[in-house]
Amino acid sequence: MASNEEITGPISQEDVEAADKLKNEANEYFKKQSYNNAIELYTKAIEKNPKNAVFFANRSIANLRLENFGYALSDASKAIELDRSYTKAYYRRAAAYMSLGKYKLALKDFEYVTKVRPNDQDAKMKYTECNKIVKKIAFEKAISVDKKEVNIADSINLDAMTIEDEYVGPALEDGKVTLKFVTELMEFYKRQKKLHKKYAYKILIDVKAYLQKQPSLVDIKVADEAKFTVCGDIHGQYYDLMNIFKLNGLPSETNPYLFNGDFVDRGSFSVECIFTLFSFKLLYPNHFYMSRGNHETLDMNRMYGFRGEVSSKYTSQMADLFTEVYNWLPLAHCINSRVLVMHGGLFSKDDITLDDIRKVDRNKQPPEDGIMCELLWSDPQPMLGRAPSKRGVGCQFGPDVTNTFLQRNGLDYVIRSHEVKNDGYEIAHDGKCITVFSAPNYCDTMGNLGAFITMNGKDLKPNFTTYEAVPHPDVKPMAYANSFFNMLCQ
């Protein structure tokens, strides 16, 4: 990002006009949802005229759309510093705080606006709505403290759930997932039908029981001539997930897969995605792998739609059970002791080993720093060294950091996901840090390709398959997201 430093000299009229022109061009890109181009032009406008709060506030919302919450926060704060009365900048900062799960700080911004503009009904309404969220979360926390020992999976009474005669969907056989079940389930979901809650709960309970026995870092062995596939973010894009299986074959003992986090949120078919993936996990536990992403967390699910979707299609109790299950997802996988796969990236310290990852106590919401946080949130950067994260969580790491980590741990390269890429993948750090993102035309707006990686066990050379988005029923992304957050990001 461009420096936000004040300049001491006066700004010429010529620069002011040039900056306004750049801002208008950027606004056009923003309307077309071409956020990277918009950011580039807002940055150029700021370079011409760093004293205009609007440029920073506009760049802030573009960064919010790209999930660069750290940059969005810093830009909104700069806009406020330049113009204390600029209401929109407070809204942008509040949205950034909320994206980072800092609801009380968001509330402070709304409170400030209501004080300086007591007759602003919109500000009053946003303050009230944010206050409700803060109180609800405080209430949920209080309840969870009171019920510390309550385990949701253990409290579900499956025997009390009856399968109604009119239910004609897929059924577990003797309580077990079979290939017939999962094949029928995928077709059932394509027709926008809903799996019976008894089977849904049973799958979650069984997956949790399995995952609890797994280490935080799972070692995967792939035979020399065997094929192995790694997929990146799916983000609730069920019909694109089905397209991956069409292009690359269904998961099986001879066609193993690793899905590298962010199965849910944003896309409005997240329930369908996660139950399909969990069914394959139960069917082929040693040939189908799933890593935790930063969206398999409570704060993200609360804001970006998954919690709302589960509560709408099932119950809020099931949403709580999902949180319990996600806490047990492994944080990373190591293929043939040579390739490390994690959702986010590497670390703020140089001395981290694979054993350190194995020892992480993962049964919790990710902390704001440390190994677990960085595995889920970090991103690579082209520059050497490290930098604060554009997301406001984790860190950014350069090619030297990647090299040091690989040498220390005897690895060839790392695969991570977590970032939209135009081609569905990106090879960085001299081929040693690969990003794969499997949700094409992310959120129906980004126009990117999706990709997956295939390799054989012998040389582990990554091969990339890219594909375009396929049509899906007319349910918009973020349909179940927190409506207040959506309103803030307009």
Side-chain angles (χ1 to χ4, degrees):
M1 302 296 289
S3 164
N4 291 350
E5 289 170 21
E6 286 287 356
I7 61 167
T8 48
I11 300 162
S12 71
Q13 187 57 31
E14 190 185 343
D15 278 346
V16 168
E17 286 169 12
D20 283 339
K21 188 167 179 257
L22 286 162
K23 184 256 299 183
N24 293 336
E25 282 178 53
N27 288 351
E28 289 307 309
Y29 275 114
F30 184 88
K31 283 178 200 163
K32 292 176 195 160
Q33 297 165 327
S34 183
Y35 303 122
N36 281 313
N37 287 332
I39 287 169
E40 200 177 312
L41 288 166
Y42 289 135
T43 301
K44 286 179 178 172
I46 287 165
E47 284 163 3
K48 293 276 184 196
N49 180 7
K51 294 188 177 180
N52 189 321
V54 174
F55 302 165
F56 287 98
N58 286 9
R59 192 170 69 176
S60 176
I61 184 68
N63 272 309
L64 272 170
R65 294 287 168 86
L66 290 177
E67 300 186 22
N68 296 338
F69 308 132
Y71 284 172
L73 184 61
S74 136
D75 276 344
S77 294
K78 183 66 183 175
I80 289 165
E81 184 189 312
L82 289 167
D83 182 355
R84 293 270 169 204
S85 64
Y86 188 22
T87 313
K88 202 173 267 189
Y90 288 93
Y91 292 166
R92 299 283 182 262
R93 190 165 74 177
Y97 277 138
M98 290 183 81
S99 301
L100 291 164
K102 299 179 187 296
Y103 305 104
K104 285 181 181 172
L105 289 171
L107 188 63
K108 269 188 184 174
D109 277 342
F110 291 128
E111 188 176 24
Y112 177 80
V113 177
T114 57
K115 278 179 181 166
V116 296
R117 300 180 65 166
N119 298 323
D120 186 332
Q121 292 306 311
D122 183 54
K124 204 171 281 183
M125 183 268 289
K126 286 187 165 97
Y127 171 77
T128 304
E129 286 302 310
C130 188
N131 201 21
K132 277 185 199 166
I133 292 171
V134 169
K135 284 182 173 169
K136 185 171 183 251
I137 291 166
F139 178 66
E140 284 171 5
K141 273 188 179 161
I143 287 177
S144 68
V145 169
D146 291 343
K147 298 182 176 176
K148 203 82 175 171
E149 303 308 311
V150 172
N151 182 314
I152 295 163
D154 292 345
S155 69
I156 306 291
N157 184 357
L158 290 172
D159 294 334
M161 297 180 196
T162 53
I163 310 287
E164 300 79 8
D165 291 340
E166 56 268 30
Y167 177 73
V168 291
L172 296 174
E173 294 173 35
D174 295 327
K176 295 277 190 290
V177 170
T178 59
L179 183 56
K180 177 175 181 281
F181 169 83
V182 109
T183 309
E184 287 178 3
L185 179 66
M186 289 186 290
E187 291 304 314
F188 198 58
Y189 278 156
K190 282 179 193 172
R191 303 198 308 273
Q192 290 184 274
K193 305 288 187 184
K194 190 174 80 171
L195 178 65
H196 195 281
K197 67 177 180 182
K198 182 168 186 170
Y199 301 135
Y201 272 114
K202 180 73 164 78
I203 287 168
L204 288 177
I205 290 164
D206 288 356
V207 163
K208 185 190 171 195
Y210 178 85
L211 293 175
Q212 278 179 296
K213 296 172 188 163
Q214 298 304 296
S216 290
L217 169 60
V218 173
D219 287 290
I220 300 173
K221 296 293 172 217
V222 182
D224 280 2
E225 301 310 315
K227 169 186 160 188
F228 191 80
T229 302
V230 181
C231 296
D233 303 38
I234 297 296
H235 276 301
Q237 296 184 198
Y238 178 73
Y239 296 84
D240 294 309
L241 172 62
M242 291 298 99
N243 190 40
I244 292 172
F245 292 153
K246 185 179 172 186
L247 294 170
N248 195 52
L250 284 180
S252 69
E253 291 180 355
T254 55
N255 193 24
Y257 278 81
L258 164 56
F259 279 83
N260 196 27
D262 283 14
F263 323 114
V264 301
D265 275 341
R266 296 274 189 185
S268 296
F269 304 97
S270 291
V271 162
E272 291 78 1
C273 286
I274 195 64
F275 277 120
T276 300
L277 296 173
F278 276 165
S279 294
F280 275 119
K281 180 66 197 164
L282 291 172
L283 185 59
Y284 304 118
N286 300 316
H287 298 88
F288 191 88
Y289 303 91
M290 297 171 71
S291 300
R292 191 175 187 176
N294 65 302
H295 277 267
E296 279 70 57
T297 56
L298 182 56
D299 278 338
M300 292 288 114
N301 293 167
R302 195 183 264 131
M303 296 306 302
Y304 289 97
F306 182 63
R307 196 169 173 82
E309 186 181 339
V310 177
S311 301
S312 169
K313 292 177 180 177
Y314 291 100
T315 62
S316 58
Q317 180 199 43
M318 185 183 283
D320 291 337
L321 178 55
F322 266 108
T323 300
E324 205 171 271
V325 175
Y326 287 161
N327 282 355
W328 286 107
L329 282 165
L331 303 177
H333 293 77
C334 193
I335 304 170
N336 288 358
S337 304
R338 287 169 54 196
V339 179
L340 186 68
V341 188
M342 80 294 280
H343 179 73
L346 297 180
F347 312 100
S348 51
K349 293 178 181 169
D350 270 335
D351 58 354
I352 305 298
T353 65
L354 297 183
D355 273 344
D356 292 325
I357 300 173
R358 286 188 181 96
K359 289 172 190 163
V360 173
D361 171 18
R362 70 185 186 279
N363 179 27
K364 60 187 175 188
Q365 292 304 297
E368 289 192 13
D369 51 29
I371 292 174
M372 181 175 178
C373 166
E374 288 158 358
L375 283 166
L376 301 188
W377 279 97
S378 290
D379 295 292
Q381 63 177 22
M383 303 78 74
L384 294 175
R386 295 179 174 88
S389 170
K390 61 189 176 187
R391 300 174 189 268
V393 191
C395 72
Q396 288 177 203
F397 57 97
D400 53 332
V401 175
T402 299
N403 261 324
T404 301
F405 176 80
L406 294 175
Q407 283 173 15
R408 177 179 289 275
N409 290 284
L411 297 166
D412 294 355
Y413 64 95
V414 297
I415 297 175
R416 41 89 60 184
S417 302
H418 195 40
E419 284 183 289
V420 184
K421 298 295 175 189
N422 283 340
D423 295 326
Y425 71 95
E426 183 180 78
I427 302 169
H429 296 182
D430 303 315
K432 293 183 176 168
C433 180
I434 295 171
T435 298
V436 60
F437 192 87
S438 301
N441 194 24
Y442 181 44
C443 290
D444 287 358
T445 61
M446 300 299 282
N448 60 293
L449 295 174
F452 55 80
I453 297 171
T454 52
M455 62 183 79
N456 66 43
K458 189 174 185 180
D459 60 23
L460 299 176
K461 179 176 174 286
N463 303 290
F464 303 94
T465 302
T466 62
Y467 48 90
E468 293 182 348
V470 296
H472 64 75
D474 188 21
V475 184
K476 298 284 182 279
M478 302 283 278
Y480 300 94
N482 186 295
S483 56
F484 175 58
F485 180 70
N486 269 341
M487 182 174 63
L488 267 182
C489 282
Q490 296 309 309

